[in-house]
Amino acid sequence: MSGTLSSSPDGFEGTLVVKLGGEVVGGPSLATIAEDLATLSGAGARIVVIHGGGPQATKLQEQLGLPVQKVAGRRVTDRETLEVMKMVVAGKLNVELCAALVAAGAQPVGLHGASGPVIVAARRPPRVYPGAGPDPVDLGFVGDVISVNRDLLNLLMRNSYLPVVACIGAGPNGQVYNINADTVANRLAVELGAESLLMVSDVPGVLRDVEDPSSRIQKLTRAEGHGLVESGVVSRGMIVKLEESFDALRDGVQRIHILGQLKPGDLAREAREPGSVGTVLLP
Ligand SMILES: Nc1ncnc2c1ncn2[C@@H]1O[C@H](COP(=O)(O)OP(=O)(O)O)[C@@H](O)[C@H]1O
Ligand SMILES: CC(=O)N[C@@H](CCC(=O)OP(=O)(O)O)C(=O)O
């Protein structure tokens, strides 16, 4: 279904999917972003927020003395780690993000993938990951998105509510899975036929020099993105973010933006004028 259920007085005809990383939800710009989201939502834009909480989950694991293991940017998730994800991402962070949105005047509805269920997921089979040796790796209770409950999200948006989804999914048998928030955001944007996917992180966009925030690239094609990964300019979490986002562009999302360190109004500005605040990805 494409995002044409309603026409927004603010100029956004389709759905905006906004992904907030854990650094953002727990960081100093949360109130600014919440204000922007409340303004857009109040003006009639159809918005779904999806959030992560990786740094906070790592911190609680360390406090509990649990091992933290990541493979190609994804957390190996045993039973105890899954408990941590439920507590941190679907619990504390979802509440705090909704509370910030309430303070900004929005009408958030906090959800996790197992409510609805909004995010129907399946366990990710073992596979070979770059930098993790020749053998397939089993990440445990890590899932992939099978489908999205568009009816529930549309019902909420049509009634001026702002869905705020924690990056957890559930299988039809009720098994809960930890899913990378970038993965959920990209698949949600594809399933909703989103006009824009805005990925808000702790960096102002894709940078030519990761140490220099002024080196932001305004527009990036898939081929250029591959070149940056090959040359090592893009590393760590940004590799997965770019790969998955270019896949989502191929699968029908109209525009994907990587942005961060936002000032008031930046979220809407980037959606209206791609590349003005962050990096816009082109097919
Ligand atoms: N060329 C680059 N430009 C911007 N960020 C980069 C680049 N290369 C690596 N990164 C890293 O990618 C990180 C963003 O990815 P990630 O930590 O996964 O974000 P999030 O947790 O918000 O999803 C940045 O904090 C930065 O350290
Ligand atoms: C499987 C997997 O890796 N899941 C992620 C989910 C949280 C997340 O993605 O949070 P950010 O957006 O803050 O990075 C994790 O456990 O860290």
Side-chain angles (χ1 to χ4, degrees):
M1 185 189 300
S2 80
T4 51
L5 284 180
S6 69
S7 170
S8 153
D10 206 49
F12 298 108
E13 296 296 318
T15 303
L16 306 183
V17 175
V18 179
K19 186 259 169 168
L20 305 180
E23 301 276 5
V24 178
V25 179
S29 60
L30 179 61
T32 301
I33 293 169
E35 291 279 347
D36 269 20
L37 287 168
T39 303
L40 284 166
S41 177
R46 294 162 43 87
I47 303 174
V48 177
V49 175
I50 158 85
H51 71 90
Q56 293 89 339
T58 298
K59 195 167 161 213
L60 182 57
Q61 279 188 297
E62 287 168 353
Q63 285 169 343
L64 293 171
L66 298 172
V68 179
Q69 198 191 344
K70 292 212 176 178
V71 174
R74 286 167 208 275
R75 192 180 310 268
V76 177
T77 306
D78 60 9
R79 281 192 192 281
E80 288 80 16
T81 306
L82 189 61
E83 297 296 298
V84 167
M85 299 312 294
K86 289 187 221 168
M87 286 188 268
V88 172
V89 182
K92 182 176 179 347
L93 291 177
N94 192 269
V95 172
E96 288 177 359
L97 176 50
C98 286
L101 287 161
V102 168
Q107 299 187 96
V109 174
L111 301 165
H112 45 72
S115 36
V118 178
I119 310 293
V120 178
R123 185 168 174 150
R124 175 178 279 221
R127 66 166 80 153
V128 175
Y129 290 94
D135 296 325
V137 179
D138 182 358
L139 296 177
F141 294 104
V142 167
D144 279 306
V145 179
I146 302 299
S147 63
V148 164
N149 188 336
R150 292 185 305 226
D151 286 350
L152 176 57
L153 295 172
N154 284 325
L155 179 79
L156 292 169
M157 287 189 281
R158 239 191 338 263
N159 288 283
S160 306
Y161 290 103
L162 175 54
V164 177
V165 186
C167 64
I168 286 197
N173 60 355
Q175 175 62 52
V176 171
Y177 297 103
N178 176 17
I179 315 180
N180 181 285
D182 289 343
T183 306
V184 179
N186 277 296
R187 293 337 290 173
L188 253 177
V190 170
E191 292 267 338
L192 291 169
E195 179 176 337
S196 292
L197 166 60
L198 295 139
M199 307 271 267
V200 186
S201 177
D202 60 340
V203 281
V206 182
L207 304 172
R208 291 210 177 276
D209 173 359
V210 75
E211 302 298 331
D212 177 6
S214 70
S215 67
R216 173 173 61 88
I217 297 166
Q218 286 183 297
K219 294 189 163 91
L220 191 66
T221 64
R222 186 173 199 131
E224 288 164 348
H226 278 311
L228 294 179
V229 172
E230 294 283 305
S231 64
V233 167
V234 163
S235 63
R236 301 191 294 275
M238 193 54 77
I239 297 180
V240 183
K241 212 183 278 297
L242 284 185
E243 281 173 356
E244 299 209 343
S245 295
F246 282 120
D247 285 352
L249 277 182
R250 178 200 61 206
D251 294 343
V253 180
Q254 292 173 44
R255 275 188 303 281
I256 303 186
H257 312 250
I258 294 175
L259 67 167
Q261 301 179 0
L262 302 180
K263 296 188 293 303
D266 274 354
L267 207 59
R269 196 169 301 124
E270 174 64 25
R272 272 200 206 86
E273 302 162 42
S276 60
V277 172
T279 300
V280 62
L281 306 183
L282 306 169

